[in-house]
């Protein structure tokens, strides 16, 4: 017998930056444009957004992270075209080395594929606790209409075989070899629709109609419907007679979040009992699934707050962050090439953020690999432990003078963590809010991207 | 009781600055010639038995992995024993200490200590620590040189009420001294407003809170006490020295209001010399940034902890103050050609104790001058050397 597939908790995250559509339009000589899209700061990507959403969902679930059996991650654009994207995310979340799962990629439909993959693992009994992460931070082609709608964000769902206030119900998928938005092999940015009217009339609206009809017989209150251009979502909802288009909030706040859109648009509505349908589309495939909540799902009421806000930035800053505006001259490489031994020795401890607590005096030595002896007492017996992710600024600087690829102002802070460890890391943002005594958290960010390798580490962010 | 087994009988340097026209070798030759020239009773270069050369980074002028053999040929003494000392910003002062030990051991009677550094053969972007990534790939990302010191300023200001005016007063005083020093890179006066209004480099430090990138070379001649009188009637003695280390990463520091390597090195040097901070008449200390001098004068025991800023602003460390600091202009005005810095500081102390510091001359009633460097990753290395003009023990 197939077990029921239940949602124990959810989480969401949005990137640091917001870009007004009018800013983009002005960059291409036209005026007007309402609303905004969410954009990654230079140190964010689909992986860092996904990790943040996953940690929030796991925190809301109350589960010990080590009982999670696997990570199913859906993203159109993993940080490596080929490489250890899944392994890095799993370790940064704190999953055990035994965890299973899959990386679903290749289109914005991959979010649904990750959800279904995890659901199948629960249903078949190969996993009891499955973590689903859907995240995207697409890079739209410069000057395309898509640029004014492409957003970024992430959602995470903890699926379990027993317990939980919500249950996955009927699901449906339709496949057609249509070309919608795509990125060819070796291309750096995603191409917009060849013909937006063709897409609307022949691909998008018919798909929504067909999928929606399947589910509309099932008495569903809330709908999360994709909105690739700022209008199609509400048009499809009208066609289907949908009253509660709950994905409106995320679409307005963040724009089209690609593979994350279906879950990200829907999970916020799980804060009360009810029924929800989420639809995901891309790469010629469209899928939907029904979710029934008998009560509030932990984490759901936080979703709106967790994806709201952000710093308004200029178009040039976004183009620079996406690697589309590149300064001339040489940049400073990582002190150590990412493929070198130092990353083999120290990569894991930096992703999991490990300290070595001295058995003799209790001092936490960070990171363990460079401390064969305790800095306080010289002891050599240590217990490895994950560092606290919260602390207080002891002192800091704002560095205004650095060569490329650094962008000033760059805050750097010495932080005393709640567990007594002291650590020095870069801060996120421009540091204008930083002060001694400020409460901060440590979050995973991308420190550099070199030779195709994203290098991740923790940064300090105001709480 | 002061150590006094080794005498300084000669010292000299070349004019510091952006010496685009001079090679590393030419700078070394110039400093050596100046040191030879300075010996009262004459000095034959071939008397040098061994040399210790301080050069912090060959990479700054396109030579990786340089050794001691860069110097003998350049100064016309091919074949002599020569060893390169690289110990971060205290490289020059540590070469001095090691040279003194080589003489005191009886192995050598005459030793040359020479510091040479080419800082400007490469662009500022490629210069020392400008690449903002040395050491651990994550913990040091974005860590240009000011990042190693500015967190101390932030915390010192927070705990003791030290102000930007107090920091600036250090730069103003050292530029005043530098304007009196013909060897200084900068020879102009500045005001507190100039410092505060200069561009931010790494908050809270601004451009004029920072030392420049400077080319330079300096040399001293050390001989054993027994033969000192052959060279001069007015020798200066090595009274004591100390070197100490601290953890290499800033997050390993237990305090950001003092530099523990400096405190330990000073304690060792004072003990060896048999004196205390109150016996020092003047000092050349490591002022790579204004905050560093404020920490130095506290950590070396010249002023109470936390009072370094006030003491600087009130003139205690000026040429006419209670304890003149950096009479040469210091790193801020004279410049900081790293390997040469410590040796050049020794030359200034030597001049002060011999009454040869011209317009910068201060009173030396006790007969003691102190030289200090601190630096390296996390300011984790410090050297203190103490000179005296008193032959007989105190």
């Amino acid at each position: 017998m197939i077990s029921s597939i239940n949602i124990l908790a959810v989480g969401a995250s949005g990137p640091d930056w917001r870009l007004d559509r009018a800013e983009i339009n002005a960059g291409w000589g036209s005026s007007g444009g309402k609303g905004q899209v969410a954009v990654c700061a230079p140190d964010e990507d689909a992986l860092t957004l996904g990790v943040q959403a996953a940690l929030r969902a796991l925190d809301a679930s109350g589960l010990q992270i080590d009982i999670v059996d696997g990570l199913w991650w859906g993203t159109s654009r993993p940080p490596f075209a080929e490489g250890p994207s899944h392994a890095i995310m799993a370790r940064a979340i704190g999953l055990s080395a035994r965890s299973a799962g899959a990386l679903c990629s290749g289109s914005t439909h991959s979010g649904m594929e990750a959800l279904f993959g995890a659901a199948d693992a629960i249903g078949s009994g190969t996993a009891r606790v499955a973590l689903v992460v859907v995240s995207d931070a697409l890079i739209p082609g410069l000057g395309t209409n898509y640029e004014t709608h492409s957003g970024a964000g992430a959602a995470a769902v903890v699926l379990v075989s027993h317990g939980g206030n919500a249950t996955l119900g009927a699901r449906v998928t339709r496949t057609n070899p249509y070309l919608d938005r795509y990125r060819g092999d070796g291309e750096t940015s995603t191409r917009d629709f060849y013909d937006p009217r063709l897409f609307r009339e022949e691909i998008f609206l018919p798909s929504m109609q067909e999928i929606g009809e399947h589910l509309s017989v099932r008495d569903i209150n809330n709908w999360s419907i994709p909105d690739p251009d700022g209008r199609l979502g509400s048009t499809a909802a009208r066609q289907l007679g949908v009253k509660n288009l709950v994905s409106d909030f995320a679409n307005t706040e963040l724009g089209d979040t690609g593979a994350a859109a279906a879950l990200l648009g829907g999970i916020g509505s799980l804060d009360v009992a009810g029924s929800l349908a989420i639809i995901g589309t891309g790469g010629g495939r469209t899928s939907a699934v029904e979710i029934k909540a008998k009560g509030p799902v932990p984490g759901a009421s936080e979703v709106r707050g967790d994806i709201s806000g952000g710093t308004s930035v200029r178009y040039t800053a976004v183009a620079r962050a996406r690697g589309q505006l590149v300064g001339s001259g040489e940049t400073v490489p990582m002190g150590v090439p990412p493929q070198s031994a130092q990353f083999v020795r120290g990569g894991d401890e930096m992703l999991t953020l490990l300290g070595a607590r001295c058995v003799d005096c209790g001092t936490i030595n960070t990171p363990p690999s460079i401390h064969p002896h305790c800095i306080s007492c010289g002891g050599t017996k240590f217990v490895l432990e994950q560092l606290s992710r919260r602390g207080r600024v002891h002192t800091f600087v704002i560095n205004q003078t650095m060569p490329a690829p650094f962008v000033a102002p760059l805050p750097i802070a010495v932080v005393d963590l709640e567990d007594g460890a002291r650590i020095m890391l870069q801060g996120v943002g421009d540091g204008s809010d930083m002060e001694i005594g400020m409460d901060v958290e440590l979050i995973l960010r991308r420190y550099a991207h070199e030779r195709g390798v994203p290098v991740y580490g923790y940064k300090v962010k105001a709480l | 009781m002061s150590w006094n087994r080794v005498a300084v009988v000669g010292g000299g340097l070349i004019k510091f600055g952006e010496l685009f026209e001079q090679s590393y070798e030419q700078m070394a030759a110039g400093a050596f010639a100046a040191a030879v020239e300075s010996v009262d009773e004459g000095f034959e270069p071939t008397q040098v038995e061994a040399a210790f050369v301080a050069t912090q980074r060959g990479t700054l002028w396109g030579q990786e992995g340089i050794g001691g053999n860069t110097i003998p040929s350049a100064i016309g003494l091919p074949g002599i024993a020569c060893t390169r000392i690289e110990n971060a910003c205290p490289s020059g002062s540590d070469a001095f200490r090691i040279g003194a030990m080589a003489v005191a051991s009886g192995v050598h009677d005459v030793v040359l200590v020479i510091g040479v550094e080419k800082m400007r053969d490469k662009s500022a972007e490629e210069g020392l620590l400008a690449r903002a990534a040395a050491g651990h790939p994550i913990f040091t990302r974005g860590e240009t040189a000011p990042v190693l010191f500015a967190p101390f300023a932030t915390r010192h200001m927070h705990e003791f009420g030290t102000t930007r005016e107090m920091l600036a007063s250090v730069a103003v005083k050292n530029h005043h001294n530098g304007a009196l020093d013909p060897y200084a890179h900068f020879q102009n006066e500045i005001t507190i407003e100039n410092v505060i209004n200069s561009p931010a480099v790494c908050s809270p430090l601004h451009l004029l809170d920072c030392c420049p990138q400077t080319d330079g070379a300096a040399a001293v001649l050390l001989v054993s006490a027994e033969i000192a009188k052959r060279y001069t009637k007015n020798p200066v003695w090595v009274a004591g020295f100390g070197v100490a280390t601290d953890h290499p990463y800033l997050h390993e520091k237990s305090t950001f209001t003092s530099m523990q390597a400096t405190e330990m090195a000073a304690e060792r040097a004072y003990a060896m010399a048999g004196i205390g901070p109150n016996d020092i008449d003047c000092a050349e200390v490591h002022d790579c940034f204004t905050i560093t001098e404020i920490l130095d004068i506290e950590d070396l025991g010249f002023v109470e902890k936390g009072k370094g800023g006030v003491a600087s602003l009130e003139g205690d460390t000026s040429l006419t103050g209670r304890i003149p600091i950096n009479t040469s202009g210091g790193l801020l005005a004279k410049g900081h050609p790293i390997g040469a810095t410590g040796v050049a500081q020794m030359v200034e102390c030597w001049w002060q104790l011999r009454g040869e510091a011209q317009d910068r001359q201060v009173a030396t009633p006790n007969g003691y001058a102190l030289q200090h460097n601190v630096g390296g990753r996390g300011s984790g290395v410090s050297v203190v050397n103490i000179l005296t003009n008193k032959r007989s023990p105190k």
Side-chain angles (χ1 to χ4, degrees), chain B residues 79-380:
Chain B
I80 62 165
C82 186
T83 302
R84 177 176 164 234
I85 307 298
E86 202 248 272
N87 205 359
C89 289
S91 293
S93 41
D94 208 18
F96 180 90
R97 183 185 69 97
I98 290 164
M101 291 195 294
V103 171
S105 72
V107 172
H108 297 296
D109 281 329
V110 181
V111 157
L112 165 69
V113 175
I114 184 165
V116 192
E117 202 79 50
K118 259 286 167 207
M119 301 287 287
R120 293 293 289 114
D121 267 22
K122 291 196 171 180
S123 73
E125 284 74 18
E126 293 177 78
L128 176 82
L129 289 185
R131 48 201 302 279
H136 191 278
I138 296 295
F139 286 129
T140 65
R141 191 78 179 151
E143 203 175 273
T144 51
V147 176
L148 298 170
F149 295 88
F152 290 83
T154 308
R155 192 71 202 181
H156 203 277
M157 294 165 94
H158 177 78
E159 288 195 23
F160 302 121
T162 302
T163 63
R164 289 220 32 230
E165 285 76 10
M166 293 176 191
L167 294 176
S169 70
V170 173
V172 171
K173 182 258 298 175
N174 289 353
H175 273 72
H176 172 77
N177 296 353
L180 300 173
D181 181 353
Y183 296 95
H185 184 166
F186 295 138
Q187 307 203 340
N188 59 304
E189 301 267 358
I190 57 171
T191 65
I192 283 182
E193 289 70 33
N194 291 153
V195 182
I196 288 175
N197 296 328
S198 63
V201 169
C202 181
S203 299
L205 302 177
H206 286 232
L207 185 64
L208 290 174
D209 286 296
C210 309
C211 69
Q213 297 204 57
T214 302
D215 299 322
V220 296
L221 293 164
L222 302 182
V223 303
S224 62
E226 290 72 28
I227 63 168
K229 59 179 177 293
R230 288 186 209 163
Y231 300 97
T232 178
K233 295 184 180 67
N234 194 11
V236 168
W237 310 94
V238 180
F241 46 72
V243 58
T245 57
D246 189 13
H247 302 304
Y249 290 98
L250 287 182
H251 73 272
E252 297 167 339
K253 305 287 173 198
S254 55
T255 174
F256 284 85
T257 54
S258 66
M259 294 198 163
Q260 295 185 312
T262 296
E263 290 178 338
M264 285 187 282
E267 193 181 319
R268 291 166 192 176
Y270 288 137
M272 186 169 169
I275 59 166
N278 291 336
D279 297 310
I280 301 295
D281 294 312
C282 61
E284 291 286 301
V285 307
H286 200 80
D287 57 327
C288 51
F289 301 95
T290 50
I291 181 60
T292 325
E293 180 170 315
I294 288 173
L295 294 168
D296 295 340
I297 60 177
E298 296 172 358
D299 296 339
L300 293 167
F302 299 144
V303 304
E304 196 185 320
K305 179 52 67 185
K307 302 277 200 254
V310 175
S312 298
L313 188 65
E314 292 183 349
D316 289 4
T317 56
S318 70
L319 288 179
T320 53
R322 181 173 62 79
I323 171 77
I325 299 291
N326 285 329
T327 57
S328 70
L331 283 57
L332 286 166
K334 188 169 68 177
H336 185 20
I338 305 174
T341 297
V343 184
Q345 288 175 314
M346 296 310 298
V347 174
E348 179 74 5
C349 290
W350 184 69
W351 280 335
Q352 288 287 359
L353 291 174
R354 283 163 53 95
E356 294 175 346
Q358 299 176 337
D359 295 343
R360 313 182 304 284
Q361 184 65 48
V362 298
T364 57
N366 299 323
Y368 285 95
L370 179 148
Q371 177 270 342
H372 159 263
N373 291 124
V374 64
R377 168 136 303 291
S379 301

Side-chain angles (χ1 to χ4, degrees), chain A residues 5-7 115-116 119 159 166-171 289-292:
Chain A
I5 297 143
N6 308 306
I7 296 180
L115 177 63
F116 292 171
L159 296 184
T167 305
L168 255 56
R171 62 168 113 147
V289 64
E290 172 195 22
I291 299 169
K292 293 266 189 211

Side-chain angles (χ1 to χ4, degrees), chain A residues 332-334 342-343 350 366-367 370-371 375 394-403 405-406 410 412 414 422-426 436 447-448 456, chain B residues 125 130-133 135-139 141-144 147 150-152 154-155 158-159 200-203 247 249-256:
Chain A
V332 176
M334 289 295 290
Q342 193 160 355
F343 278 83
M350 291 312 296
T366 306
I370 63 169
H371 289 108
I375 56 169
H394 180 74
T395 189
F396 69 97
V397 304
I398 313 290
N399 200 349
Q400 280 99 346
T401 314
M402 296 156 291
F406 297 98
L410 174 69
I412 299 177
V414 176
R422 181 169 275 186
I423 199 164
M424 184 166 104
L425 294 167
Q426 291 184 11
I436 287 178
Y447 266 75
Y456 297 98
Chain B
E125 284 74 18
R131 48 201 302 279
H136 191 278
I138 296 295
F139 286 129
R141 191 78 179 151
E143 203 175 273
T144 51
V147 176
F152 290 83
T154 308
R155 192 71 202 181
H158 177 78
E159 288 195 23
V201 169
C202 181
S203 299
H247 302 304
Y249 290 98
L250 287 182
H251 73 272
E252 297 167 339
K253 305 287 173 198
S254 55
T255 174
F256 284 85

Side-chain angles (χ1 to χ4, degrees), chain A residues 112-201:
Chain A
M112 298 304 285
E113 293 162 22
L115 177 63
F116 292 171
D120 291 346
I122 298 283
S124 69
T126 58
R128 284 170 305 168
V129 181
L131 175 63
V132 180
V133 175
V134 292
S135 64
D136 248 343
L138 289 161
I139 298 181
L142 286 172
T144 60
N145 186 49
Y146 180 33
E147 218 183 352
T148 55
H149 295 282
S150 175
V157 173
V158 180
L159 296 184
V160 289
S161 50
H162 298 285
N165 268 349
T167 305
L168 255 56
R171 62 168 113 147
V172 56
T173 295
R174 286 293 177 272
T175 298
N176 288 294
Y178 296 143
L179 193 61
D180 44 26
R181 284 178 175 143
Y182 72 98
R183 177 163 62 98
D185 195 19
E187 295 182 350
T188 55
S189 58
T190 302
R191 292 170 181 266
D192 204 356
F193 308 123
Y194 171 69
D195 181 334
R197 293 244 347 127
L198 175 71
F199 173 74
R200 170 192 162 100
E201 298 300 328

